[in-house]
Amino acid sequence: MKRKAVCRIFSLCCAVIFALMLTGCDPTAGAIKYEVIYPSGDNRDCYTYDEKSPIEGSSCYLQWEKADDYKKTYDYDMHILDENGSVLYSYPDVGSKAMRGSVQEEGKTWVCAEHWTAPHHNGYVEGWLEESDLLLIDLSDGEILFQDKAGENEFYIASNETRCYFYVPGKEESEKLFGLIKIPAENAAIYYRDTLDWTQKHAFYTFDYVTEPDIDTSDGVETRIRFYISENQLQVAWTSYEPVDNENWEYLEKKAYEISLTPNDSE
């Protein structure tokens, strides 16, 4: 009996160690995932690996291609394709494997090329966004009307006129100098940069949480923030991938925030 008990304890310990080893193989395990959903129904998430992606509001596509010097620089070129797949315009060294585009007005299109570092995913994992390239392109002639960068973990959502809106996760309270200096926590927020003064971050909306709202995700295996984009409106929905019966799993919405992107509606 004693021998069986020892063997059982040993087996349980081995199972725990094996599970920890599997988790350790993926440093993104348990991280919050992002998903962007456009009015057309097109979406982008960490499992999207398509070589080309539609430009919302047009019949054109974005396509990435390894640059000629990719082996040295790891850069990608960006192409804009017409509805037949022919190249309309090419932009060297500004592309990425995670690109999104959306027409604003009169053919002017915002393009975001995101540079993620999350292993085992094509981006869209919170905390793993290195930087992004933002370009405003005139689809009628391919001219770049504006170009600049967004920094680490500044997740581009949408644009309205000269404003580009970003989601930034909150930061837990921290300390410096062995606890002598306490840095207060920061709630998650949405802010915007304006093309007229890109270096400035303007506060727009502050959420009621730091890392996540008060929701129950204990039955889920993945927590995902869904950004539903519509004209001048944004819905930020927290979901959990959970079983709904013995066979099916779904992303169940736990909490949602309705946010107007009209310039005068900021908090």
Side-chain angles (χ1 to χ4, degrees), residues 4 10 12 26 59 62 65 77 87 115 153 238 249-250 254 266-267:
K4 288 184 178 180
F10 178 76
L12 289 173
D26 183 5
S59 58
L62 295 171
E65 182 181 24
D77 296 338
V87 176
H115 304 279
N153 293 323
W238 280 77
W249 289 66
E250 294 181 4
K254 299 293 183 174
S266 60
E267 290 191 342

Side-chain angles (χ1 to χ4, degrees), residues 60-130:
C60 296
Y61 293 83
L62 295 171
Q63 182 187 49
W64 58 264
E65 182 181 24
K66 290 181 179 179
D68 292 338
D69 58 351
Y70 174 80
K71 291 183 178 180
K72 292 182 178 179
T73 64
Y74 298 102
D75 286 337
Y76 290 89
D77 296 338
M78 180 179 75
H79 306 302
I80 294 181
L81 312 179
D82 65 15
E83 58 186 351
N84 298 315
S86 300
V87 176
L88 292 175
Y89 316 110
S90 294
Y91 307 90
D93 304 329
V94 296
S96 75
K97 282 190 172 183
M99 296 191 295
R100 291 180 280 135
S102 180
V103 174
Q104 296 301 299
E105 57 181 12
E106 299 177 354
K108 294 180 176 61
T109 300
W110 277 103
V111 174
C112 179
E114 299 159 332
H115 304 279
W116 298 84
T117 59
H120 314 303
H121 300 83
N122 192 27
Y124 296 82
V125 181
E126 186 167 278
W128 293 83
L129 178 57
E130 186 175 40

Side-chain angles (χ1 to χ4, degrees), residues 112-169:
C112 179
E114 299 159 332
H115 304 279
W116 298 84
T117 59
H120 314 303
H121 300 83
N122 192 27
Y124 296 82
V125 181
E126 186 167 278
W128 293 83
L129 178 57
E130 186 175 40
E131 66 175 14
S132 302
D133 288 290
L134 274 296
L135 301 93
L136 180 61
I137 298 174
D138 189 338
L139 283 185
S140 66
D141 57 12
E143 180 185 359
I144 297 178
L145 305 175
F146 175 84
Q147 182 177 2
D148 217 314
K149 291 183 178 292
E152 184 178 13
N153 293 323
E154 296 181 39
F155 183 63
Y156 171 72
I157 302 172
S159 298
N160 187 354
E161 298 179 358
T162 59
R163 294 183 177 186
C164 291
Y165 295 89
F166 299 86
Y167 174 83
V168 287

Side-chain angles (χ1 to χ4, degrees), residues 35-43 56-57 100-104 156-161 163 165 190 204 226-237 257-263 265:
E35 181 180 4
V36 178
I37 303 173
Y38 290 98
S40 65
D42 288 327
N43 73 314
E56 181 73 12
R100 291 180 280 135
S102 180
V103 174
Q104 296 301 299
Y156 171 72
I157 302 172
S159 298
N160 187 354
E161 298 179 358
R163 294 183 177 186
Y165 295 89
I190 290 175
F204 188 79
R226 283 178 160 169
F227 298 89
Y228 293 90
I229 299 171
S230 58
E231 185 176 0
N232 299 330
Q233 192 72 24
L234 170 69
Q235 183 190 73
V236 179
Y257 301 82
E258 300 287 344
I259 303 168
S260 171
L261 297 182
T262 302
D265 289 344

